[in-house]
Amino acid sequence: MKGPGVNDSNLSEMLEYFGQEQACYTSLLDLSRRQRSIIESGDVDALMNVLQEKQRVLNRVTSIEKKLRPYKENWPRLKQGFDENDRQVVSEALRTVEELLAELIASEKESEDLLRGQRDEVRQELVSSVHGGKVHQAYTGQQGGEEARFLDIKE
């Protein structure tokens, strides 16, 4: 039996919002996986498109979270009014959302690590070029024994 202020529509609405949230997190997970392959391919335009799509989905999650806030804030009271079956249904919905979030966070971490690795590679290539003297030689005109023609440098 339901307690005071608790009814089937509360449960239905809450489960609907959790379902919407699950759909959003599933979309974000798919986008995150696509993002990782795009990072590997180096397609900056495609990466920007995926990031824009992720932002749209995140905006939707924010909207859903606002709708869920009253339920979360009143959960101790609501929980008391639900029967055991209803509580299990809500717990299962929450568990699914948490699992999706954990998987999403792991995927985002992989993308972040991949980007960081690419950044470090580029940095190392630049450092090697500078230390290899290529940049210095280019600016001082020391390539092939020529004197600096475009820079007013004297050694």
Side-chain angles (χ1 to χ4, degrees):
M1 184 154 144
K2 308 290 180 200
V6 177
N7 56 43
D8 287 331
S9 74
N10 284 344
L11 179 63
S12 295
E13 279 182 358
M14 190 169 39
L15 291 174
E16 173 64 27
Y17 296 145
F18 283 136
Q20 290 174 17
E21 205 169 42
Q22 289 171 9
C24 287
Y25 289 141
T26 299
S27 293
L28 285 170
L29 186 56
D30 291 342
L31 288 166
S32 183
R33 289 175 179 149
R34 195 164 78 204
Q35 169 185 288
R36 191 171 49 243
S37 2
I38 290 170
I39 290 169
E40 290 170 343
S41 74
D43 186 346
V44 176
D45 291 332
L47 180 60
M48 294 305 294
N49 289 335
V50 166
L51 293 174
Q52 288 172 349
E53 183 62 27
K54 283 173 66 177
Q55 187 59 55
R56 281 191 286 276
V57 176
L58 286 169
N59 290 343
R60 177 77 179 125
V61 169
T62 300
S63 171
I64 295 166
E65 277 296 317
K66 285 180 185 174
K67 294 174 184 174
L68 275 170
R69 186 174 296 129
Y71 295 103
K72 290 179 178 181
E73 289 171 352
N74 293 309
W75 179 242
R77 183 182 59 79
L78 288 172
K79 180 172 69 171
Q80 304 253 332
F82 291 145
D83 63 31
E84 184 58 31
N85 185 51
D86 291 344
R87 282 195 295 272
Q88 285 179 347
V89 169
V90 172
S91 291
E92 181 64 23
L94 284 171
R95 187 187 59 74
T96 303
V97 167
E98 289 171 352
E99 287 174 357
L100 284 168
L101 271 173
E103 200 172 340
L104 178 60
I105 290 168
S107 181
E108 288 295 310
K109 173 99 173 76
E110 288 174 13
S111 289
E112 181 183 338
D113 291 345
L114 185 59
L115 277 171
R116 187 175 289 117
Q118 287 180 349
R119 179 202 63 197
D120 292 347
E121 256 181 54
V122 168
R123 179 183 294 144
Q124 186 57 42
E125 287 175 17
L126 287 171
V127 167
S128 293
S129 292
V130 169
H131 288 305
K134 294 177 185 174
V135 173
H136 179 70
Q137 288 172 357
Y139 279 107
T140 61
Q142 293 180 357
Q143 295 172 323
E146 295 181 24
E147 294 182 25
R149 290 193 272 184
F150 301 109
L151 300 174
D152 200 13
I153 300 175
K154 299 191 183 202
E155 293 190 32

